[in-house]
Amino acid sequence: MNDPRVKMAMLGSADEIEAEFYEAMRHGDLDRMMAVWSEDEDIACVHPGGPRVVGTVAVRAAFEAVFVNGPVHVEIAHVHRMDLAHCAIHHVTEKVQAMTEQGLKTAYVMVTNVYVRSAQGWRMVTHHASSGMAQDLPDITEPRTTLH
Amino acid sequence: MNDPRVKMAMLGSADEIEAEFYEAMRHGDLDRMMAVWSEDEDIACVHPGGPRVVGTVAVRAAFEAVFVNGPVHVEIAHVHRMDLAHCAIHHVTEKVQAMTEQGLKTAYVMVTNVYVRSAQGWRMVTHHASSGMAQDLPDITEPRTTLH
């Protein structure tokens, strides 16, 4: 929390807060992670295949459990943003890599991150990650088939 | 769209728009469904295990594909709300039932619904549904274990 990069990011845009979220993941840094989140008791987080975790104490505990295994090798494969005046909804496809008994495995995870602008700047209020897929599915922006 | 219940709901709260979303699902009514959504081109929808679908044309096509199989037997098992002045984030656990070759199956689906208040009233901008689980996992609001 004394890291000047963190303080700078904390005054920044939703994009900068999101960048800070993924930096915290890559460093397995719990304090840096929690600085990204709003202190609102209604924040909520869903890790892939897991239950919903609500509130700052439970969200912190959930990330602590993730970081027990060390840093997370995650990057943004692509993101679709809906940036509004008071909230920002970022639809992120994460590329996550992990070493397994079968070698290095890659998964693509569909994520919705929501940020809200507060007096303290933008903060994360929701992180919802679905289970990973082996392939990076591109977003569908028009129908693939026409039925009539 | 000529149904007076729809028009009333359209002027209502995020909760009323959400109720209308699930009514549209239960009726397999595409026009009623799309009246719930914002007309913003950045709306996005993820059905369980599917790709991300972005924009009104693609979202409509995605629900049309769902409704080809008829109405969806879905109800809200529980919901955690974060209602703000300009946006509302609803963390819904859906109970979905479907008849299969193995008989009636029930799945619990973790969903994030986001609504934004516009000049026309509250509208849905995001529906992100993870893959279903056989059990209804309760939300975790405090850590189950303390590590230190």
Side-chain angles (χ1 to χ4, degrees):
Chain A
M1 295 293 282
N2 292 320
D3 186 329
R5 292 168 305 178
V6 176
K7 287 184 185 167
M8 278 177 64
M10 293 296 102
L11 297 171
S13 65
D15 261 358
E16 286 170 299
I17 292 292
E18 187 155 84
E20 188 62 21
F21 173 86
Y22 288 105
E23 278 297 307
M25 291 283 270
R26 283 189 286 268
H27 286 84
D29 186 332
L30 191 58
D31 284 339
R32 197 167 173 179
M33 170 57 72
M34 293 315 297
V36 166
W37 285 83
S38 164
E39 292 177 3
D40 194 297
E41 275 310 308
D42 291 319
I43 63 170
C45 178
V46 178
H47 289 304
R52 181 178 297 118
V53 176
V54 175
T56 52
V57 172
V59 168
R60 185 182 180 93
F63 279 102
E64 189 169 29
V66 169
F67 294 159
V68 161
N69 300 316
V72 180
H73 300 284
V74 57
E75 54 189 274
I76 294 179
H78 45 101
V79 55
H80 184 90
R81 297 170 185 81
M82 185 177 196
D83 287 343
L84 302 166
H86 301 274
C87 77
I89 304 145
H90 288 196
H91 301 283
V92 175
T93 302
E94 297 176 352
K95 181 184 179 187
V96 183
Q97 292 190 298
M99 191 54 73
T100 71
E101 289 180 2
Q102 290 80 40
L104 185 67
K105 292 284 182 186
T106 300
Y108 292 88
V109 180
M110 214 72 95
V111 170
T112 299
N113 290 329
V114 185
Y115 305 90
V116 169
R117 196 169 67 173
S118 71
Q120 290 77 43
W122 288 89
R123 289 291 185 279
M124 178 175 269
V125 295
T126 296
H127 173 76
H128 178 169
S130 291
S131 297
M133 293 177 287
Q135 289 189 317
D136 181 14
L137 295 181
D139 291 355
I140 295 178
T141 51
E142 13 185 298
R144 282 181 182 160
T145 55
T146 305
L147 294 177
H148 43 223
Chain B
M1 294 293 282
N2 292 319
D3 186 328
R5 292 169 305 176
V6 176
K7 287 184 183 165
M8 280 179 65
M10 293 295 101
L11 297 170
S13 64
D15 260 358
E16 287 169 300
I17 293 293
E18 186 154 86
E20 189 61 21
F21 174 86
Y22 288 105
E23 279 297 307
M25 290 284 269
R26 283 189 286 266
H27 287 83
D29 185 332
L30 191 58
D31 283 339
R32 198 168 173 178
M33 169 58 72
M34 293 316 295
V36 166
W37 285 82
S38 164
E39 292 177 4
D40 194 297
E41 275 311 307
D42 291 320
I43 63 171
C45 178
V46 179
H47 288 305
R52 180 178 298 116
V53 176
V54 175
T56 51
V57 172
V59 167
R60 185 181 180 94
F63 278 101
E64 189 169 27
V66 169
F67 294 158
V68 161
N69 299 315
V72 181
H73 300 284
V74 57
E75 53 189 277
I76 294 179
H78 46 99
V79 54
H80 185 90
R81 296 171 184 82
M82 186 176 196
D83 286 342
L84 303 165
H86 302 275
C87 76
I89 304 143
H90 287 196
H91 303 284
V92 175
T93 303
E94 296 176 353
K95 180 183 179 186
V96 183
Q97 294 190 298
M99 190 57 70
T100 71
E101 290 180 3
Q102 290 80 42
L104 186 67
K105 291 283 182 185
T106 300
Y108 292 89
V109 180
M110 214 72 94
V111 171
T112 299
N113 290 329
V114 185
Y115 306 89
V116 168
R117 197 170 67 173
S118 71
Q120 290 77 41
W122 288 89
R123 289 292 184 278
M124 178 175 269
V125 295
T126 297
H127 173 75
H128 177 170
S130 292
S131 296
M133 294 178 289
Q135 289 189 316
D136 181 14
L137 295 180
D139 290 357
I140 295 177
T141 52
E142 6 185 304
R144 282 183 181 156
T145 55
T146 305
L147 295 177
H148 43 225

